[in-house]
Amino acid sequence: MADQANTAPGQANDELASTTDAASQPDAPPRLRVLAGKRAGRSHRQRGDPCQDSFAVDVDPAGGRAVAAVADGLGSRPLSHLGSQAACDAAVASLRAEPAWDRAAMLRAFEAAAIAVRDAAARHGLGADDLATTLQVAAVSGGRVLAAMVGDGAIVGGDPVAVAVAPPQSGYANEVFPLTQPGWREHLQVAEQEFAGPVLLFTDGLTRLLLARSRAGWTPFAPFFASFLPRLPRGGDGFVQAFLDGDQVDQSWDDDKCLVVIHRAA
């Protein structure tokens, strides 16, 4: 955990984070809690390869706002875990420095992330595509959620749970447009909605468990959320990591998995 007070970038194959604002005034905004974790896929663990999924989170105790990012380094790039972490850290740092969160601020965060990945690649004598990664970011402030993504994975939230951003229906299976490709702005999806319930950001390794796909598009898989969400208020700091480490999730799909949840603290 890089900044014990505010920021928790993921740095290992299996890592968790929890941070809660300390608002104590009667008129303070609702306390926000962020839980996060990631888990390397079975094949990666067997080979001793790093988890290519990453996350970073930040909670502002004074302002009652929280931002989180998750990213999935492309499996065909051996060093993409460096790109995914660089993207998450840069996006969260960019939004943390913004006085207000709107679509322009979110675009700047993605631009900062793209630059950070390029710079990380240059330090290793590589091109940005060698650190190719997706990126999803959600920012909660003033009772609103601003969500954005490039690539796959998804962001869902609300009560009832609804998809905020998800991969487009068109295209071939396993086709991903990463943040490191020219023209990524044309693939940037941004959505804004009321903060009516927990917000979940997750990488592609969890898509088949959390979402259902039809010709009409992506929808939350209701049985999962009916079981998962009621346990959040009483779940400890390790709740998300324990969920990812469980056999049901670990055996569901041989891919790295990352999940971040932003919700109101009990």
Side-chain angles (χ1 to χ4, degrees), residues 8-12 36-39 51-56 69-73 80-89 133-136 201-203 256-260:
Q11 294 179 332
K38 62 180 183 177
R39 173 77 163 169
C51 179
Q52 293 174 313
D53 289 5
S54 300
F55 68 84
V70 302
D72 181 356
S80 65
H81 61 287
L82 301 177
S84 63
Q85 192 64 65
C88 288
D89 291 345
T133 182
T134 67
L135 180 62
Q136 296 121 269
L201 305 81
F202 51 93
T203 53
D256 297 343
K257 303 168 183 69
C258 183
L259 172 64
V260 177

Side-chain angles (χ1 to χ4, degrees), residues 4-61:
Q4 293 292 337
N6 290 327
T7 306
Q11 294 179 332
N13 279 8
D14 308 318
E15 187 169 340
L16 60 90
S18 173
T19 182
T20 306
D21 75 3
S24 58
Q25 301 300 321
D27 57 351
R31 294 187 305 125
L32 298 175
R33 184 185 188 208
V34 180
L35 299 174
K38 62 180 183 177
R39 173 77 163 169
R42 296 189 308 277
S43 59
H44 278 176
R45 298 200 307 270
Q46 291 168 359
R47 295 194 302 266
D49 293 338
C51 179
Q52 293 174 313
D53 289 5
S54 300
F55 68 84
V57 306
D58 184 83
V59 175
D60 177 9

Side-chain angles (χ1 to χ4, degrees), residues 100-187:
W101 292 340
D102 55 18
R103 290 173 180 255
M106 184 64 79
L107 176 59
R108 288 191 291 271
F110 273 74
E111 290 171 337
I115 292 171
V117 175
R118 183 189 65 198
D119 291 347
R123 288 194 294 271
H124 289 82
L126 302 170
D129 189 59
D130 293 307
L131 272 61
T133 182
T134 67
L135 180 62
Q136 296 121 269
V137 181
V140 177
S141 177
R144 303 292 295 174
V145 180
L146 186 64
M149 68 175 282
V150 170
D152 54 19
I155 301 174
V156 305
D159 183 15
V161 180
V163 173
V165 289
Q169 288 284 80
S170 60
Y172 298 97
N174 298 322
E175 182 182 49
V176 179
F177 197 97
L179 181 68
T180 47
Q181 284 291 313
W184 62 263
R185 290 173 182 81
E186 299 174 7
H187 295 261

